[in-house]
Amino acid sequence: MPTTVKKRSVVVGGHRTSISLEQAFWGALQTLATQENKTINQMVSDIDAARMGNLSSAIRVWILEQARRGRLQPEEAASRAASPAGTQDE
């Protein structure tokens, strides 16, 4: 499983920001966004609106919760880890 941290730019609440996540989390986020017919920017904005702490941590915890609910299969996340849509590499 890839553990390389990748920094990408996203738009949250109308403002561009950078988020650093491991490639596996970017892939999982893309998979879950696709399931909900949303972009990564929309998904991150939803997570941001409900978070209490650090955005990167909130995204990781949200993905873990989705995986525990059975919404994420390991092969789905791995297949999308390369380059999620809706973000820009920095």
Side-chain angles (χ1 to χ4, degrees):
M1 174 176 295
T3 58
T4 303
V5 174
K6 192 74 170 176
K7 187 175 190 178
R8 299 180 192 262
S9 293
V10 296
V11 177
V12 178
H15 302 284
R16 185 167 295 280
T17 189
S18 295
I19 300 172
S20 297
L21 292 172
E22 293 76 10
Q23 289 180 340
F25 283 105
W26 284 117
L29 187 61
Q30 178 62 54
T31 297
L32 294 164
T34 299
Q35 288 175 4
E36 293 191 23
N37 294 315
K38 293 183 177 182
T39 66
I40 285 183
N41 289 337
Q42 290 169 324
M43 189 66 66
V44 171
S45 291
D46 291 348
I47 295 166
D48 180 58
R51 75 180 167 114
M52 297 289 263
N54 176 280
L55 181 56
S56 294
S57 295
I59 292 169
R60 289 183 187 96
V61 169
W62 183 83
I63 290 169
L64 176 62
E65 290 172 359
Q66 300 309 305
R68 286 180 173 165
R69 292 179 184 158
R71 295 193 57 222
L72 185 64
Q73 299 303 314
E75 60 275 2
E76 290 177 331
S79 69
R80 297 198 187 265
S83 182
T87 64
Q88 294 179 343
D89 293 349
E90 292 195 351

